Amino acid sequence: MGMWDNELTRLLNIEYPIIQAPMAGGVTSPDLIAAVSNSGGLGMMGAGYMAPGQIREQIRQIRQLTDKPFGINLFVPTNYTIDREKINLVKHSMKHIMEKLKYQSEDIEIPSFEENIDNFKEQINIIIDEKVPICTFTFGIPSADVINQLKNHSIIVIGTATTVEEAILNEKAEMDAVVLQGSEAGGHRGTFKKSIQESLIGLISLIPQASDHVHIPLIAAGGIMDGRGVMAAKCLGAKGFQFGTAFLTCVESGANQVYKDAILHSTEDQTVLTTAFSGKIARGIKNTFITEMEKVKEDIPVYPIQNELTKGIRKAAGTLKNQEYMSLWSGQSPRLAKSSTAKELIEQIISETEKISSSYSN
Ligand SMILES: Cc1cc2nc3c(=O)[nH]c(=O)nc-3n(C[C@H](O)[C@H](O)[C@H](O)COP(=O)(O)O)c2cc1C
């Protein structure tokens, strides 16, 4: 397999080190995951928001579609306290939006941090019980207990880092590999050590510096959409390539068609970092909701509180196909997004990378 065989493909037991990013919120459908794994890459389930029973159901659906390895990604719970006053303030600020979308606000029950931890433990138990081969994390590093539990069942564990320091911490926690999430990346930032301001490192800076300080395989994520991105990340020291936005617009992805179209018609200067939708900073295409919430950004409660508070708005907007109030997560390379099948995308990435590679060696 020449240029593709490396320690990461051997670790994950896959043909190509092309990883379809886990994308929580219904994007990573069993169809998408299976199509990627069947094409020789690694399909990943974004299970952060999913109930344990739902994860089990989807694992079984994936297994009907492929016997190749796939992985599951979870959110490491981060501590928070529920501030009723802040919740009422932001609810008041969002009232006119709910009215506009004709959405009747229900009584929203916000789970406590302790409930979140219990849910996380149950998610881990399902992964072990179903013998899922690979488990990845974002938003932090799970406890040594959780890591050992997974490792004792021969499950490969992979963390997420947005700085060299976070990559070192993942290695120290005995992760088998680490995803380097550059500032270009779409969706939530995995940052857990320092402030967001300090942790917005572009991939061209992040990969080689992490490579000098970390020995586990590095997986590059952020703005990579084709063979050019793969080749560049490879030259800088990455062994694997995680694509989010590029798979989001694929036919098999579970994203709403309005959302796919928004990405397909966007440019690199239209994505912004915002806490508007979830209380945690994430990159997405700027829209009315982000602009409106910018005015009251001091009142936005932390993740996952704001995420619960905007659920109804996002759902109503999705049903109405109104992209102005949906979360349109996207990386900084939307001009390179295409509408194709996952198999076609992978084949294209492989052939393009090989072509570039051979043009250098001749
Ligand atoms: C819609 C969307 C949802 C995402 N959800 C997750 C997630 O659940 N877990 C995670 O580790 N990363 C998540 N990410 C981030 C990706 O893992 C990855 O860092 C990012 O997609 C790379 O940038 P790109 O979109 O430019 O390829 C998400 C990204 C997007 C676009």
Side-chain angles (χ1 to χ4, degrees):
M1 276 307 305
M3 74 167 290
W4 298 107
D5 175 61
N6 65 30
E7 60 255 52
L8 188 76
T9 55
R10 272 170 263 145
L11 176 75
L12 304 176
N13 192 22
I14 54 175
E15 199 176 344
Y16 303 112
I18 305 291
I19 300 171
Q20 163 252 305
M23 290 178 271
V27 178
T28 52
S29 62
D31 278 347
L32 177 64
I33 297 166
V36 172
S37 290
N38 282 332
S39 306
L42 183 73
M44 291 280 318
M45 186 197 299
Y49 300 129
M50 281 159 63
Q54 202 185 357
I55 299 178
R56 195 194 291 277
E57 205 177 294
Q58 292 217 353
I59 293 170
R60 296 188 174 168
Q61 286 175 21
I62 296 165
R63 288 220 159 107
Q64 304 240 305
L65 302 168
T66 185
D67 51 13
K68 295 277 170 61
F70 63 93
I72 295 192
N73 172 267
L74 296 178
F75 296 161
V76 178
T78 40
N79 206 349
Y80 60 93
T81 44
I82 298 173
D83 179 342
R84 292 281 161 204
E85 216 171 300
K86 226 172 174 181
I87 291 177
N88 288 336
L89 266 177
V90 80
K91 265 178 144 176
H92 183 75
S93 310
M94 298 192 304
K95 204 161 166 244
H96 70 287
I97 296 171
M98 293 194 182
E99 283 165 5
K100 194 181 167 98
L101 299 174
K102 298 195 169 54
Y103 171 72
Q104 299 289 331
S105 159
E106 301 146 25
D107 264 342
I108 302 161
E109 242 190 86
I110 293 162
S112 66
F113 175 55
E114 289 70 27
E115 285 171 300
N116 243 328
I117 296 208
D118 287 343
N119 186 59
F120 180 67
K121 283 185 188 153
E122 280 182 56
Q123 291 176 323
I124 295 283
N125 288 338
I126 298 283
I127 290 173
I128 292 172
D129 200 43
E130 291 286 335
K131 299 187 169 58
V132 175
I134 298 147
C135 183
T136 79
F137 298 95
T138 187
F139 302 166
I141 300 176
S143 67
D145 267 2
V146 167
I147 295 174
N148 288 335
Q149 207 188 345
L150 291 165
K151 289 196 141 198
N152 288 340
H153 287 86
S154 307
I155 295 170
I156 290 153
V157 287
I158 300 179
T160 299
T162 59
T163 60
V164 175
E165 187 189 13
E166 288 176 352
I168 294 170
L169 290 171
N170 270 282
E171 181 171 56
K172 282 198 176 135
E174 293 189 31
M175 291 291 179
D176 295 299
V178 64
V179 175
L180 297 177
Q181 187 187 40
S183 56
E184 304 91 336
H188 286 103
R189 308 272 325 132
T191 300
F192 60 91
K193 188 65 190 169
K194 292 220 174 109
S195 70
I196 287 299
Q197 281 279 2
E198 293 164 295
S199 311
L200 286 169
I201 319 295
L203 269 186
I204 207 158
S205 292
L206 188 53
I207 305 170
Q209 294 187 83
S211 180
D212 284 346
H213 294 279
V214 172
H215 312 284
I216 50 177
L218 304 175
I219 299 163
I224 305 176
M225 307 288 281
D226 56 24
R228 293 173 295 183
V230 168
M231 204 58 201
K234 187 179 152 83
C235 288
L236 295 167
K239 299 289 183 225
F241 316 94
Q242 181 159 301
F243 295 65
T245 306
F247 282 109
L248 196 149
T249 55
C250 280
V251 178
E252 299 91 336
S253 131
N256 193 314
Q257 191 58 45
V258 198
Y259 179 9
K260 292 184 186 180
D261 289 340
I263 293 178
L264 292 166
H265 295 108
S266 287
T267 51
E268 74 294 344
D269 51 2
Q270 287 177 325
T271 76
V272 291
L273 289 165
T274 181
T275 56
F277 290 101
S278 69
K280 191 186 267 298
I281 201 107
R283 182 178 294 286
I285 298 166
K286 193 170 186 174
N287 61 9
T288 309
F289 187 74
I290 296 176
T291 314
E292 297 255 318
M293 295 310 287
E294 194 61 29
K295 297 178 208 151
V296 292
K297 70 173 179 217
E298 305 308 323
D299 299 336
I300 298 175
V302 295
Y303 180 88
I305 302 169
Q306 180 69 356
N307 194 59
E308 297 293 330
L309 297 178
T310 65
K311 236 181 212 170
I313 291 177
R314 287 178 282 130
K315 200 171 158 202
T319 311
L320 296 170
K321 304 206 174 296
N322 182 345
Q323 67 174 72
E324 291 306 321
Y325 299 94
M326 294 164 65
S327 53
L328 305 170
W329 306 140
S330 167
Q332 287 184 313
S333 308
R335 286 187 203 250
L336 305 178
K338 284 186 292 244
S339 175
S340 65
T341 65
K343 183 169 185 273
E344 284 164 353
L345 176 63
I346 292 176
E347 283 171 355
Q348 202 162 17
I349 295 166
I350 300 298
S351 70
E352 197 181 358
T353 311
E354 288 176 351
K355 204 168 137 201
I356 300 171
S357 177
S358 64
S359 76
Y360 284 123
S361 52
N362 288 334

